[in-house]
Amino acid sequence: MTTPRFATALLLGALLLAGGAAAAAAQVPTTEPGVRIGLSYDPGSRPGVVVLPVSGPAGDSVRAILQRDLDYGDRAVVITDGAGAAVAPARLNYALYQRLGAAAVVQGTLTPTGLTLAVHDVAKRAVLRTATLPLPSGTYGPEWRMAVHRAADTVEEWIFGTRGIAASRIAFVRNGRLYITHSDGAATEAITGSGMALSPAWHPTGRYVAYADMSETGTQIMVRDLDTRTSRRMASGGLNITPAFSPDGERLVYSHGTNNGADLYVISPFEEGAPRRITVGRGTLNMSPSFSPDGRRIAFTTDRPGRPDVYMTAIDGGEATELLPFNFSDQSYRSNPDWSPDGRSVAFQSQIGGRFQVITLTLKDRNVKQLTNEGENEDPSWAPDGRHLVFTSSRSGTKQLWVLDAETGRTRQLTREGGARLAAWSTHDRVPIGAP
C-alpha cells in the first residue's frame, strides 16, 4: 500500500519513463507593549469563558464566530448554559459568572467602523484588556470573517498569552482543483481552474501558494499570487512535485524527477537563477520536503532504504540521516513529514496494521506518539500554534479533512463536500489589525 503523494510520484515517474491559510471603551487602559498579561489559572485545566451577546448589526454572527473560534482553539471551555442573556448587561454580575465556572467574560460592541472588545477577569472582578478592532465592509464576506477571526485570536492572546489560530487558512486539493478555506471550514473558494493540482504549500506571508500542476506538457511547479490571482511557472520539464517554501520565504524546495529517480532542488521563488541540487539519490525517489523553523534543515520522504522512509538533511546538502531507525515492521513505512512551527516535533504518516496513521516524533527525547487510529489518516500539516494538525481521513466514509488537537486528541471535521486531500495550513493571517 502506498501513500497518495508517494503513489502519485510513482505513477508520474512511470508516465515519465513511458515518455508523462460593548465593552465600554474606557474601563481600563491597555497595558504597555511587551508586558505579559493573562488570567491566573491552573495550567493543566481549560478555563471557562463566556462570550456575551454582541450588540449592533450582525452581532449574533460575530458572537457565534468568537464562540466557535475559542472552542476550536482547545484552550478554553466556552460556557453557554445560563450565560446567554438576550442583551449584554451594563454591569457584569461577576459572582454569577464565577458560579457558572467562568474565568473570563468577553464583551463586544459593533460600531460603524469596528468591533470594541473587552475581556473581564472574573476572579479579580476587573477588566483585563480592551481594544477596538477595525472591521472591513462587506458583512459576512471572507475578509469580514477573517477580521472577526483576528478578534478571536486577540482575545485568546489576552487570556492565555498565546495567539489563536482562527485567523489562518488551509489549502487543499479537491477533484484536481486547488481550494483554500478558513480554519473553521467556512469561506471555501477555488483558486485554480481546470487541471490537476497537487501538493499546495504556503508562503510565510500568506500571499502565495506553490503547487504542482500536472498538464499535457508535464508536471510543473506553479506559484499562485492570491492578491492578483495570477500564477507563475517556477520549474518545468520532467517531473516536478511537492514544493515547500523556506520559513523566510526566500527559497523554494521541490522534487525534480528524471529517468534516474527524483531529487530535491532549491530555487529562489522571486529572482532569476538556476536551481541547485540538494540530494543525490542515485536513482531513488526523494520528495515531500519540509523545512525546520530555522530554515537550516529539511525532512523529506525517500525510498533509498528500499522502502519509503523519512530522512533529514541540511539545506546546503550533505549526508542524509534517518528520522527513526528501521524496526522490521510495517511501521517502518513512513512518509510525508511536516516540521512543527516550534521545531520540537515532526509529524508524518506511518503504516500500522495495513493502514496509515498520523504519528509525531519529538526530536529532543525521540518520543513517538500515534495520534489517530480510526480509518486511514494521511498527510498531516501543522497549524501555526504547533498544537493542531490538519490531515486527510477516511473515517467519515470519504476522504475529508479533519483537524486534531495533538494535546487532547480532540478531532473535528473540516470539509464535507466531495473528496479533500493534501492539506497545508498557513501561518497566521498576514494583515495585523488591532494587535495588542
Side-chain angles (χ1 to χ4, degrees):
M1 184 179 295
T2 57
T3 171
R5 282 182 180 166
F6 214 84
T8 298
L10 294 173
L11 173 60
L12 293 177
L15 292 174
L16 186 65
L17 290 172
Q27 294 198 55
V28 293
T30 59
T31 57
E32 296 185 13
V35 176
R36 168 70 165 82
I37 61 174
L39 299 181
S40 296
Y41 61 92
D42 180 1
S45 68
R46 294 174 59 198
V49 176
V50 171
V51 180
L52 295 176
V54 177
S55 61
D60 288 346
S61 295
V62 170
R63 184 191 188 202
I65 293 172
L66 292 175
Q67 288 177 318
R68 185 164 58 246
D69 287 347
L70 291 171
D71 177 41
Y72 287 170
D74 288 306
R75 290 185 172 87
V77 174
V78 178
I79 299 172
T80 56
D81 294 342
V87 179
R91 294 182 62 86
L92 296 190
N93 185 340
Y94 289 111
L96 169 63
Y97 293 114
Q98 198 161 28
R99 288 195 298 271
L100 290 172
V105 174
V106 180
Q107 198 173 22
T109 300
L110 283 165
T111 71
T113 58
L115 172 64
T116 298
L117 284 174
V119 172
H120 296 254
D121 186 328
V122 173
K124 294 182 179 179
R125 303 193 174 207
V127 175
L128 175 68
R129 191 74 184 264
T130 66
T132 297
L133 313 180
L135 289 178
S137 58
T139 303
Y140 308 121
E143 290 306 314
W144 181 88
R145 290 183 60 88
M146 185 58 71
V148 180
H149 290 321
R150 293 187 205 113
D153 285 348
T154 298
V155 168
E156 194 160 334
E157 186 166 23
W158 289 352
I159 296 174
F160 301 102
T162 300
R163 198 165 188 83
I165 57 171
S168 60
R169 292 173 290 174
I170 295 168
F172 65 95
V173 173
R174 174 189 288 148
N175 297 327
R177 300 181 69 183
L178 195 58
Y179 288 78
I180 57 174
T181 190
H182 288 189
S183 63
D184 61 355
T188 303
E189 62 173 325
I191 60 173
T192 63
S194 59
M196 181 60 69
L198 297 166
S199 307
W202 287 93
H203 189 268
T205 63
R207 175 172 175 173
Y208 307 97
V209 177
Y211 62 99
D213 180 52
M214 182 179 176
S215 66
E216 295 179 355
T217 59
T219 305
Q220 52 206 357
I221 302 298
M222 306 294 292
V223 173
R224 183 73 170 175
D225 186 328
L226 299 181
D227 285 356
T228 64
R229 299 291 167 154
T230 58
S231 297
R232 294 184 299 113
R233 182 184 296 111
M234 300 303 304
S236 59
L239 175 69
N240 301 279
I241 55 173
T242 60
F245 283 107
S246 61
D248 62 5
E250 297 299 317
R251 291 166 291 182
L252 181 69
V253 173
Y254 63 97
S255 179
H256 172 68
T258 67
N259 292 344
N260 296 317
D263 277 297
L264 299 179
Y265 287 75
V266 60
I267 56 174
S268 170
F270 305 113
E271 297 179 2
E272 296 294 331
R276 175 176 60 83
R277 188 173 180 175
I278 299 175
T279 61
V280 181
R282 298 181 177 85
T284 59
L285 294 173
N286 301 272
M287 61 195 67
S288 301
S290 176
F291 274 92
S292 62
D294 61 11
R296 296 179 180 178
R297 293 181 293 167
I298 296 173
F300 64 98
T301 304
T302 180
D303 67 348
R304 62 183 66 186
R307 67 192 187 283
D309 205 350
V310 176
Y311 273 49
M312 302 171 73
T313 190
I315 181 63
D316 295 328
E319 183 180 0
T321 58
E322 285 181 307
L323 183 69
L324 284 169
F326 179 62
N327 62 4
F328 296 97
S329 73
D330 63 353
Q331 295 185 44
S332 292
Y333 188 128
R334 299 179 282 249
S335 61
N336 301 15
D338 194 50
W339 216 308
S340 66
D342 60 12
R344 298 176 181 176
S345 303
V346 174
F348 55 94
Q349 61 188 46
S350 180
Q351 197 176 63
I352 299 174
R355 290 186 172 186
F356 285 107
Q357 303 298 341
V358 175
I359 307 291
T360 58
L361 170 73
T362 53
L363 297 175
K364 184 177 181 179
D365 58 13
R366 315 302 291 178
N367 179 53
V368 177
K369 183 179 181 181
Q370 181 178 337
L371 299 182
T372 62
N373 53 40
E374 182 181 354
E376 194 99 3
N377 302 279
E378 307 162 333
D379 299 315
S381 175
W382 288 101
D385 64 354
R387 170 173 176 154
H388 292 85
L389 290 145
V390 62
F391 59 99
T392 302
S393 179
S394 65
R395 64 187 63 194
S396 65
T398 61
K399 288 193 174 183
Q400 298 292 345
L401 301 185
W402 290 70
V403 173
L404 179 145
D405 175 13
E407 292 192 18
T408 66
R410 181 191 182 196
T411 59
R412 61 180 171 92
Q413 189 169 350
L414 186 73
T415 62
R416 299 179 184 276
E417 298 179 11
R421 59 196 184 100
L422 302 173
W425 209 318
S426 76
T427 59
H428 291 102
D429 184 71
R430 71 180 190 273
V431 182
I433 64 170

